[in-house]
Amino acid sequence: MEELITLYELEPDVRDIFVEGRSDRNFLIENLLDEDAAILCSIYDVSDRVEIPDGELMDAGLLVGKRGRILWLARQLSQRIPGHASAALVADKDYASLDADVKDEIHGLVYTDYSAMEAYALNERTISKLLRVTLGAPEYVTPASLISAIKPSLISLFVIRLCLRESGTGATIPEKTLHKWDLDDNSESRIREVFRLAINNLPRDRRNGQTPDLLYSSYAAYRKKVGAEYLDYVNGHDVSLAIVRFLKAECTQVFNSDGRRPLQAPEVLEVVMMSCIEKSHLDSFPMFQTLRRWVKSGTW
């Protein structure tokens, strides 16, 4: 941290962008920086550039993780070099739309327009490229039908994940449950069952007094806060998982060939999906407009 402060003080024309992970870094390098901007600006996964101990995050009241590191670094830079033009820090909105994550206004800090970077892929143009070019899906499987089918589950999973995080137990959705998720069943009984399985996976001394009923009450309260823009309520890694579940139900043959079989792994499909996003689609989003303006002028 001290070396970074010294660098920015001695070289005020340096332009660095910090993001939450390497996939975000690669995505922004490809879609944000043109050839001239790439000369002026470097993009880093925050953990590759600055060492921030977990204790520093906890002392600052931040959750341990990449997002917490971005917020911590933004606070430090704004306090120690007020008005700096040296760094832009990009954080996912995450659960801010449900008032469960901070969305502090800090100099140099920019939030994704939706809950996660992967939400930029959930549009008909990007999904059309994924279906037709990448997967060779049949014509009856349309981008609109896919997006419509996965939206309810994306929202349910988003709220479930929040409730489990807020429970303080460390409980997660069991992998087996996640990878067999029924897109057509987002009923109360289904949600309660997920909470039961998540809690039962924990030793009793780690359950923190939580029960499926308590977790479902929290779920119902948060679910009432969900607004009309579903892209504000999407966990990034759930997108490709839901797409795989949809395709296996509608046209499983797309994964039959040797070349496409690896794409049924959600983490693989996610990489391909993000590469289908077109730069022109991103031009209208405030986050990209803000970052491009800053790279060129150093002003916000």
Side-chain angles (χ1 to χ4, degrees), residues 18-278:
F18 295 92
V19 296
E20 292 187 24
R22 293 178 184 174
S23 59
D24 288 355
R25 171 188 177 272
N26 296 338
F27 178 67
L28 289 186
I29 286 175
E30 179 62 28
N31 291 290
L32 178 67
L33 302 182
D34 56 27
E35 189 172 337
D36 292 337
I39 297 172
L40 300 172
C41 181
S42 299
I43 304 180
Y44 299 99
D45 172 350
V46 63
S47 295
D48 287 341
R49 189 74 170 93
V50 188
E51 183 179 351
I52 307 170
D54 290 352
E56 295 280 0
L57 302 180
M58 291 185 283
D59 289 346
L62 296 169
L63 292 174
V64 173
K66 293 290 185 75
R67 188 179 193 270
R69 285 173 164 76
I70 289 287
L71 296 176
W72 185 90
L73 183 56
R75 290 177 183 178
Q76 290 291 314
L77 292 175
S78 67
Q79 291 167 8
R80 299 180 63 176
I81 317 177
H84 69 86
S86 300
L89 303 105
V90 180
D92 285 350
K93 280 202 324 189
D94 275 6
Y95 299 108
S97 296
L98 292 177
D99 301 320
D101 274 327
V102 296
K103 193 177 178 226
D104 295 341
E105 296 298 326
I106 303 171
H107 179 78
L109 181 61
V110 182
Y111 292 95
T112 52
D113 296 285
Y114 302 120
S115 56
M117 202 73 77
E118 290 79 4
Y120 291 112
L122 281 172
N123 60 85
E124 291 194 18
R125 177 58 183 156
T126 299
I127 298 302
S128 178
K129 288 178 69 175
L130 182 70
L131 289 174
R132 306 291 171 245
V133 180
T134 304
L135 295 166
E139 292 294 327
Y140 70 80
V141 179
T142 66
S145 67
L146 185 153
I147 292 171
S148 177
I150 68 175
K151 278 196 298 188
S153 286
L154 289 177
I155 295 170
S156 293
L157 287 168
F158 184 80
V159 181
I160 289 170
R161 290 183 185 280
L162 172 58
C163 294
L164 291 175
R165 189 193 78 175
E166 297 293 279
S167 73
T169 63
T172 58
I173 304 171
E175 286 297 313
K176 185 177 180 181
T177 300
L178 199 55
H179 287 278
K180 292 187 175 181
W181 190 267
D182 184 352
L183 296 175
D184 293 326
D185 186 3
N186 297 283
S187 63
E188 176 179 336
S189 60
R190 177 61 172 154
I191 305 302
R192 287 182 181 274
E193 175 67 3
V194 174
F195 286 136
R196 185 188 68 78
L197 292 170
I199 289 296
N200 285 351
N201 272 354
L202 297 173
R204 289 190 177 276
D205 61 355
R206 286 183 50 201
R207 295 182 186 180
N208 202 25
Q210 294 290 337
T211 65
D213 285 344
L214 287 174
L215 289 168
Y216 186 79
S217 294
S218 177
Y219 175 90
Y222 277 123
R223 192 65 180 78
K224 289 178 181 178
K225 295 183 178 181
V226 171
E229 179 50 85
Y230 83 97
L231 293 174
D232 282 331
Y233 312 98
V234 169
N235 177 280
H237 298 311
D238 287 338
V239 175
S240 56
L241 183 142
I243 291 175
V244 169
R245 296 299 301 152
F246 174 83
L247 293 173
K248 284 189 171 183
E250 295 294 320
C251 52
T252 190
Q253 70 270 20
V254 299
F255 298 121
N256 285 347
S257 69
D258 289 341
R260 288 170 175 151
R261 193 167 295 117
L263 297 176
Q264 64 188 312
E267 61 272 19
V268 177
L269 188 70
E270 180 180 306
V271 174
V272 177
M273 176 186 72
M274 295 302 286
S275 70
C276 290
I277 299 175
E278 297 179 353

